[in-house]
Amino acid sequence: TNMTSSYNEYHNLGRAKVQNIRQINKSFCQNESRTVSEFREKFESDEETSLNFLEDTSVCKEEKLDMLRIIVDSRKNVSILNMLDRMEQRDGGMEQILAYKKAVLWTTLNNDPDTLGSILDWGTEKQEIQNSIKSSESIEDDPIILCSLENNKSCLGLLYNAGYRITLDPEDERRISALLELNIIHANSMQILFFERQTCDPIEQFLRFQAHTNPIYTAVAFVGNETEMKTNPQIMRNLDPIRRSFAISEYAKELSSQFPDHCEGYLKIRSKCDEFTKQVLEHCNSNDDVKKLLDSCPSDVASERTNLHMALWQEHKDFVSHAFFQQYKWDKMTMDIKWDSYNLLKKMKIFLFSICLFPCYPFVVLLDSLFRESNILFISPEKLQMSESRRNISNDIEMEKSPNGQNLEDNIEMEETQNGQHLVDNIEIEESPNGESSEDKLCESEPFAFFRKSMHTPIYRMFVSQVLDVIFFISLFLHINDAHDGMSTLDNSYYPTIVAFIFATNHLFENIVDINRLGWCFLSSVWSIYSLLTNLLLCIGGLTAWISYQVEMEDVNRANLGGNHHLNIAMTMVALGASMSFFRITRVLLLHRKIGPVVICIIEIMKDVLYVSIIFLIIYFAFSAGVWSMFKPFQGCNLNESQYCLSEKRLIQNQTYPGILSLLFWKVFDGDFSDASILVNATRSEDGDITGGAISHGFSHQIGLAFLAGYQGLTVIILINVLIAMMNSTYSKIWENSDKEWKYSKSFYQVQFFRPRETFPPPFRWIYYFANGMRKIKMCKKSCPDNEEDNTNQSKDYIQLMLRLVKTKVNSEEENSIDDKFKNLKIDIFEKIEEMKKTFSK
């Protein structure tokens, strides 16, 4: 992908700003004074003596800047530096600082990295100049902002290494830092309701944000702090290209809602950040590189805040749908199971095997929690082998010393192989005569090793969870199918009710735990909110119904109770919750390649229905008020006493304002008002039919009928057709990106089974909490230096990997930009030839 060419559309506003500043600086030299004109002629003939103009006290500061601009445009480095040196003694050095800033700015606008490098090297030796560039500049005078807006990578790297930085609006910087610190997780657009901003210039803020979020600036900042990142983890957290791009992308989506006028610009910034992370992922050379990239997390709760989880929570669909991401996710899901290569019979055997193993898990976890280290649920076989390997190697070489007096262990840990991995990771484990590695022997006994591997296979967890869901659905169906609502003790019909209620309460408890554990991330999925509402209805309705049955007689007939009776209200909530529970089955269909996109389309189309429903409600209440006001005199009137009457029975029968509301609502779905009219001197038969009479053409009577016609036209003709058009557009848009949408939704569903807690789905989750409590008690009694060492090594490996990926990406972009440079050269040559032709023609 040629990033340089793809930025043309992305940087339209930024490029226009730079071009405007460039034209202003050019026009500054067009109306030059006589002294400057003489300097130009002298400089073209004799460069050395032309600098003597600076010694003339009559030359003002503006004229000196004009002279400096002439030298900068000539791109003669020696003359530029000589002029800067001669301006050193003026005004305590302030004149030289101003000249230096202008020289850097003009060289950047000229896109001249060679000259810019010479000027910056000269400035690094001047401490007062270094102090001056740290102060905040306006956009017009800040070369690194202009450089980033124009996507000038060569000059951008030089300016960053010289100490130039792009400063954001303080509020933007604070909130991006909060995202990087994981203190605030912006899960969706609902967070914007709590978003407050101080008054600032939206255009300047957008340009600064656009320059700062340039992926090239992100890459330059990361590579430029290579040494500091290895010693300061906080710098790595702030400059990590993946996580910083995720944070900027999420924040840009919020700003697009905060500033509708710049919505398109902020969404383009989000798109470019997503494209940058996707390109970094593409440069991985192996599955091990992908693993290091996706499993990395700067926080202590790595299992819940990895790059993999952040990409899912913040809806980075391009990143998630990438083939490398999908392959790693599926490999982690299946572990050593070659699921895709098995036939249907083999897959069924694995499914049944995982279900049969589950009843043994509680006993194994109980033994491990009471008599072992209580880590079988929390440490995977891979991590256990790595930890044991390092511990055994450390014990073997603990007392050995190298010739220089250092521990041999330190030498091994510090020595790195060519691919950047630690030597300890590459030590081959010697195998015993029977083919088993000594490492496997040292880890744990075969039965516990077998169950550890099974418990840490996510696809087994998914199978168990789905089977338990089937049990829940069956018990819920038996409950609602029972004539006594499953509350009678006269038979065994209450057993399914108890099972369903246990499932619902456990699911609700897990929803509350997830809200406390994930915060705003809980709202990142529609299914999470849907599950919470479903379980609330089932639990509240079921508990209220049970209490009501205890108060009332057990054989009470709900048909004899009022609609507002607490028992009927409770069972209504249970009915709603049951319907929503059965609809939740469609989430499993997301795993299917053909049905999954259809489910996604239906969910997205429901959003269109919601938007149109808002407009319909306004029209509905507006016309209902008008219709009620016009026709209320004709409701309940006696033909013997009134001269005019309504010919529409339903308008007469639906009396009062709620009756009109009901009539207008159902008229959208059946029938019309074409027979409605106001009759004069009509008669009514015994069965209520109105006969005779003439149609009234009075103004107020016709306006009343116009209300009905307008309502029918707006709702049936316009709104319904608009809804159909919106649904077609949404369907086409989703179906066009069906592969990306399907992979993202499928991944969101599958990744939840990576968590150790999913080994015991509700209602067996209490076993996990028991094991977790026992583990914390045992961990309090000893320190865990191995974990700290593993985290340190993983952080070092991740830094080395990201440096390699980012450098590779930057180098590939430089190669792709060669063609653009040749094109620019051809344009320059063509312009010079045209100028020469005009000169000769004159």
Side-chain angles (χ1 to χ4, degrees):
T1 305
N2 190 340
M3 178 173 284
T4 302
S5 60
S6 65
Y7 265 91
N8 290 334
E9 182 180 357
Y10 166 66
H11 279 279
N12 280 341
L13 182 56
R15 287 181 181 275
K17 182 71 173 179
V18 177
Q19 292 295 337
N20 184 35
I21 296 173
R22 184 179 284 114
Q23 292 299 326
I24 292 174
N25 282 275
K26 285 184 178 180
S27 62
F28 185 71
C29 293
Q30 290 178 356
N31 300 323
E32 56 189 30
S33 64
R34 180 178 179 181
T35 303
V36 176
S37 300
E38 293 176 357
F39 172 81
R40 181 187 295 275
E41 296 175 359
K42 186 67 175 177
F43 179 77
E44 293 175 354
S45 59
D46 189 356
E47 298 179 14
E48 296 183 0
T49 58
S50 63
L51 298 180
N52 294 330
F53 276 80
L54 298 176
E55 305 298 331
D56 189 354
T57 57
S58 62
V59 179
C60 64
K61 181 170 62 176
E62 288 74 14
E63 290 176 332
K64 291 180 181 179
L65 292 178
D66 282 347
M67 297 176 186
L68 177 62
R69 180 59 191 265
I70 293 173
I71 300 177
V72 168
D73 289 340
S74 70
R75 306 192 178 189
K76 296 179 179 180
N77 301 349
V78 177
S79 299
I80 296 174
L81 300 182
N82 288 337
M83 184 172 184
L84 291 175
D85 286 330
R86 292 200 178 192
M87 300 178 70
E88 184 173 2
Q89 303 300 325
R90 299 286 182 176
D91 299 331
M94 294 303 297
E95 186 174 313
Q96 186 186 49
I97 294 175
L98 177 61
Y100 172 81
K101 290 183 177 181
K102 289 295 184 180
V104 171
L105 176 63
W106 292 331
T107 310
T108 302
L109 292 174
N110 290 340
N111 193 11
D112 185 6
D114 295 334
T115 304
L116 178 61
S118 300
I119 297 174
L120 294 175
D121 291 339
W122 177 88
T124 54
E125 302 174 359
K126 311 287 185 180
Q127 185 61 39
E128 62 276 7
I129 291 179
Q130 290 300 307
N131 295 333
S132 67
I133 66 174
K134 295 180 181 179
S135 59
S136 178
E137 301 281 357
S138 62
I139 294 180
E140 292 79 3
D141 298 328
D142 198 331
I144 193 168
I145 291 181
L146 302 179
C147 192
S148 179
L149 290 175
E150 206 171 24
N151 199 39
N152 186 345
K153 178 193 169 296
S154 300
C155 295
L156 187 64
L158 295 173
L159 291 169
Y160 189 90
N161 294 331
Y164 285 86
R165 299 292 185 270
I166 299 178
T167 57
L168 283 174
D169 180 80
E171 181 66 17
D172 292 338
E173 186 64 41
R174 184 184 70 82
R175 298 188 71 85
I176 292 177
S177 299
L179 281 168
L180 292 171
E181 292 290 340
L182 305 176
N183 293 329
I184 300 177
I185 301 297
H186 301 267
N188 52 34
S189 57
M190 289 181 64
Q191 180 73 9
I192 203 68
L193 297 175
F194 308 98
F195 184 82
E196 296 182 1
R197 170 177 295 279
Q198 297 178 353
T199 304
C200 61
D201 186 353
I203 296 179
E204 180 177 354
Q205 179 205 354
F206 174 77
L207 291 174
R208 285 187 176 274
F209 189 78
Q210 186 180 29
H212 184 84
T213 57
N214 187 340
I216 292 183
Y217 179 77
T218 302
V220 168
F222 179 73
V223 176
N225 290 272
E226 178 178 354
T227 305
E228 292 79 358
M229 286 187 298
K230 295 180 179 180
T231 57
N232 190 345
Q234 183 63 32
I235 295 179
M236 175 60 193
R237 176 178 295 186
N238 293 333
L239 297 179
D240 181 358
I242 296 295
R243 299 188 76 87
R244 186 166 187 84
S245 296
F246 283 167
I248 291 172
S249 176
E250 183 66 12
Y251 187 56
K253 184 175 71 173
E254 289 190 357
L255 290 178
S256 66
S257 301
Q258 183 75 6
F259 300 101
D261 294 338
H262 297 284
C263 175
E264 183 178 356
Y266 283 119
L267 291 180
K268 286 182 179 179
I269 291 175
R270 174 179 171 83
S271 176
K272 291 310 301 181
C273 289
D274 292 342
E275 181 69 19
F276 173 74
T277 55
K278 179 181 175 182
Q279 291 175 359
V280 171
L281 180 63
E282 284 179 347
H283 285 85
C284 292
N285 297 328
S286 63
N287 197 44
D288 185 58
D289 289 348
V290 178
K291 179 180 183 301
K292 291 178 182 178
L293 189 149
L294 296 181
D295 285 347
S296 173
C297 180
S299 65
D300 297 332
V301 283
S303 61
E304 298 293 336
R305 295 291 191 272
T306 63
N307 291 339
L308 182 144
H309 289 88
M310 298 303 292
L312 287 168
W313 287 338
Q314 298 179 353
E315 298 184 5
H316 302 290
K317 297 181 180 180
D318 291 331
F319 186 83
V320 173
S321 62
H322 193 275
F324 292 173
F325 185 103
Q326 292 294 314
Q327 184 62 47
Y328 171 72
K329 182 261 303 178
W330 185 241
D331 290 344
K332 190 172 182 178
M333 189 78 183
T334 57
M335 300 297 284
D336 296 334
I337 303 174
K338 307 299 181 183
W339 182 263
D340 295 330
S341 62
Y342 294 156
N343 55 30
L344 180 60
L345 181 60
K346 183 68 172 179
K347 293 179 179 179
M348 290 298 298
K349 289 181 179 179
I350 294 175
F351 174 79
L352 295 175
F353 174 74
S354 64
I355 302 304
C356 294
L357 275 181
F358 180 73
C360 303
Y361 287 173
F363 303 101
V364 175
V365 172
L366 182 63
L367 291 174
D368 180 70
S369 300
L370 296 178
F371 305 107
R372 301 175 77 246
E373 296 182 0
S374 188
N375 62 7
I376 195 170
L377 277 177
F378 308 99
I379 299 180
S380 65
E382 180 185 2
K383 291 184 178 180
L384 181 65
Q385 291 177 2
M386 185 180 300
S387 177
E388 290 291 336
S389 176
R390 281 201 172 94
R391 186 181 297 112
N392 293 332
I393 294 173
S394 299
N395 292 335
D396 292 341
I397 63 178
E398 183 178 6
M399 301 305 297
E400 298 182 16
K401 297 288 184 177
S402 61
N404 59 1
Q406 293 180 340
N407 288 330
L408 185 59
E409 181 183 1
D410 297 336
N411 292 335
I412 291 179
E413 290 181 353
M414 294 302 297
E415 184 177 354
E416 296 180 354
T417 58
Q418 293 181 354
N419 61 359
Q421 294 180 342
H422 289 77
L423 188 59
V424 176
D425 297 336
N426 297 323
I427 292 179
E428 296 182 356
I429 306 300
E430 297 181 359
E431 293 187 355
S432 58
N434 60 0
E436 295 180 355
S437 65
S438 59
E439 181 181 4
D440 294 335
K441 290 182 177 181
L442 293 173
C443 288
E444 58 185 345
S445 60
E446 290 186 4
F448 281 99
F450 169 77
F451 280 104
R452 183 186 297 272
K453 184 177 180 180
S454 301
M455 291 179 183
H456 286 272
T457 303
I459 196 171
Y460 288 175
R461 300 170 181 171
M462 184 177 70
F463 290 155
V464 173
S465 177
Q466 291 173 349
V467 169
L468 291 176
D469 283 342
V470 171
I471 297 175
F472 169 60
F473 293 141
I474 293 175
S475 60
L476 187 60
F477 176 78
L478 293 176
H479 159 68
I480 62 177
N481 193 49
D482 183 67
H484 301 284
D485 298 325
M487 301 291 181
S488 176
T489 58
L490 301 177
D491 50 24
N492 295 328
S493 62
Y494 62 90
Y495 288 120
T497 301
I498 295 176
V499 174
F501 186 73
I502 291 175
F503 270 95
T505 52
N506 277 268
H507 280 297
L508 179 60
F509 176 77
E510 289 305 314
N511 292 144
I512 297 173
V513 171
D514 287 341
I515 292 174
N516 181 66
R517 184 169 54 90
L518 301 177
W520 284 102
C521 290
F522 180 82
L523 302 178
S524 59
S525 172
V526 176
W527 293 105
S528 299
I529 305 173
Y530 187 87
S531 177
L532 177 62
L533 294 177
T534 301
N535 296 324
L536 278 174
L537 288 172
L538 287 174
C539 292
I540 296 175
L543 183 61
T544 306
W546 180 80
I547 295 175
S548 298
Y549 268 104
Q550 299 304 313
V551 175
E552 305 286 346
M553 298 297 294
E554 290 188 353
D555 58 348
V556 65
N557 185 3
R558 288 197 292 116
N560 296 326
L561 303 177
N564 293 327
H565 191 274
H566 50 80
L567 179 57
N568 280 331
I569 294 176
M571 293 310 299
T572 301
M573 297 176 67
V574 172
L576 290 173
S579 298
M580 295 174 67
S581 296
F582 288 122
F583 183 78
R584 201 173 59 191
I585 299 175
T586 56
R587 190 180 186 188
V588 182
L589 299 178
L590 292 172
L591 300 177
H592 195 271
R593 179 66 183 85
K594 299 297 183 180
I595 304 178
V598 178
V599 176
I600 297 172
C601 288
I602 293 174
I603 295 173
E604 293 298 323
I605 285 174
M606 293 303 295
K607 297 179 181 179
D608 295 334
V609 175
L610 176 62
Y611 299 148
V612 174
S613 297
I614 296 175
I615 302 176
F616 167 74
L617 288 176
I618 297 175
I619 297 175
Y620 173 60
F621 284 106
F623 276 92
S624 64
V627 171
W628 170 246
S629 177
M630 297 300 300
F631 293 137
K632 64 182 178 181
F634 301 102
Q635 290 196 347
C637 63
N638 191 342
L639 287 179
N640 297 327
E641 299 177 357
S642 60
Q643 184 179 4
Y644 297 91
C645 69
L646 274 170
S647 63
E648 177 63 45
K649 282 186 178 181
R650 283 166 291 188
L651 283 172
I652 301 174
Q653 295 170 354
N654 288 273
Q655 298 187 10
T656 72
Y657 183 64
I660 293 296
L661 288 175
S662 176
L663 175 65
L664 291 181
F665 179 80
W666 294 110
K667 272 294 183 180
V668 177
F669 304 98
D670 62 336
D672 54 36
F673 291 108
S674 59
D675 297 333
S677 60
I678 305 296
L679 301 179
V680 184
N681 300 324
T683 60
R684 178 183 295 169
S685 61
E686 295 181 356
D687 58 358
D689 294 335
I690 299 175
T691 59
I695 297 177
S696 173
H697 297 284
F699 174 77
S700 62
H701 297 163
Q702 294 300 316
I703 291 298
L705 299 177
F707 270 108
L708 298 177
Y711 174 76
Q712 288 286 104
L714 281 175
T715 56
V716 178
I717 298 177
I718 298 178
L719 275 186
I720 292 180
N721 283 280
V722 167
L723 177 60
I724 294 173
M726 291 177 63
M727 290 191 294
N728 288 332
S729 177
T730 301
Y731 181 84
S732 300
K733 180 180 178 181
I734 297 298
W735 199 257
E736 183 180 353
N737 301 315
S738 60
D739 185 69
K740 178 175 67 175
E741 297 289 342
W742 171 69
K743 288 179 179 178
Y744 173 79
S745 300
K746 181 186 67 171
S747 299
F748 204 105
Y749 174 76
Q750 292 176 336
V751 165
Q752 66 176 324
F753 298 104
F754 289 177
R755 300 177 296 187
R757 65 178 60 235
E758 297 300 330
T759 305
F760 292 100
F764 300 98
R765 188 61 58 80
W766 61 270
I767 302 174
Y768 166 82
Y769 293 126
F770 170 77
N772 191 31
M774 293 296 296
R775 179 171 180 261
K776 290 182 178 179
I777 293 174
K778 293 184 178 182
M779 288 182 63
C780 293
K781 300 179 181 179
K782 62 177 182 179
S783 59
C784 299
D786 292 337
N787 293 339
E788 296 177 1
E789 181 182 356
D790 291 343
N791 293 336
T792 302
N793 292 335
Q794 290 176 3
S795 178
K796 291 180 180 179
D797 292 343
Y798 179 72
I799 293 175
Q800 292 172 355
L801 172 66
M802 290 306 302
L803 286 171
R804 177 171 63 82
L805 294 179
V806 173
K807 289 179 180 178
T808 302
K809 181 184 183 311
V810 172
N811 293 334
S812 66
E813 290 170 5
E814 290 180 352
E815 295 176 359
N816 292 332
S817 64
I818 292 177
D819 294 337
D820 291 337
K821 292 181 180 179
F822 276 115
K823 290 180 181 179
N824 293 334
L825 180 60
K826 291 179 182 179
I827 293 174
D828 292 340
I829 294 175
F830 179 77
E831 290 178 352
K832 291 292 183 181
I833 293 175
E834 292 297 325
E835 291 179 0
M836 294 176 63
K837 287 182 179 180
K838 292 180 181 179
T839 302
F840 285 121
S841 64
K842 292 180 181 180

